[in-house]
Amino acid sequence: MRALEVRDHAPSTPAVLSKNGVKFALYSGGIDRRADLFRAVKKAIDAGLAPEDALRAMTLTPAEIYGVQDRLGSIEKGKIANLVVTKGDLFQDRTEVKYVFVDGVKFEPVEEPPAAGRTSSTPASEIARESVCRRHSC
């Protein structure tokens, strides 16, 4: 029963940490599909985490924790330019990825026909995200 309670309350943990000024990072460990990471973050947002705190926990805070904030984690002159440009809120299911910049080089997602195991209900943004990352190892 305790394990079920912990699992049930897990999405609210980032909001509690943020509200109490605790530095934390969100990462994809234990998640097989990239889209599942965004769904998990969306659950945390729905449970009270501010979207800007979620984004920070995936960008600048991890860079600070690892001591590389002078090179990564935010958009500033002189830093490595890896970023995703979307049409719509990053954490929404149907958000469209417009561009991906890897080390300052622009890539445009190319939609692929649904692969085996994908249904027509798979959001185009998920297909594009996976396509870009598969081709460019991001």
Side-chain angles (χ1 to χ4, degrees):
M1 186 63 160
R2 176 78 175 129
L4 291 175
E5 287 175 352
V6 168
R7 187 178 302 157
D8 185 51
H9 288 53
S12 64
T13 301
V16 172
L17 293 172
S18 179
K19 287 176 183 154
N20 286 289
V22 176
K23 187 179 281 196
F24 68 97
L26 299 174
Y27 68 102
S28 61
I31 295 178
D32 294 329
R33 294 173 3 125
R34 287 178 191 87
D36 292 341
L37 172 64
F38 287 94
R39 285 189 190 97
V41 173
K42 178 73 168 94
K43 284 182 184 179
I45 291 169
D46 292 344
L49 181 64
E52 56 273 10
D53 292 339
L55 183 60
R56 190 179 205 292
M58 296 175 70
T59 56
L60 186 55
T61 300
E64 291 170 343
I65 290 170
Y66 284 103
V68 294
Q69 69 274 9
D70 60 326
R71 297 180 303 264
L72 300 169
S74 61
I75 304 169
E76 296 177 56
K77 186 177 181 176
K79 289 190 173 185
I80 297 170
N82 294 338
L83 57 109
V84 177
V85 178
T86 64
K87 181 178 180 181
D89 186 333
L90 178 63
F91 301 113
Q92 297 300 317
D93 288 336
R94 301 266 178 216
T95 296
E96 180 183 349
V97 174
K98 298 299 286 182
Y99 312 107
V100 175
F101 291 86
V102 179
D103 200 18
V105 178
K106 178 181 170 183
F107 297 93
E108 294 186 44
V110 177
E111 285 197 42
E112 297 175 353
R118 280 204 178 109
T119 65
S120 60
S121 64
T122 301
S125 61
E126 181 179 327
I127 294 169
R129 227 181 264 128
E130 290 177 6
S131 171
V132 168
C133 288
R134 191 171 40 253
R135 286 189 317 218
H136 302 290
S137 303
C138 43

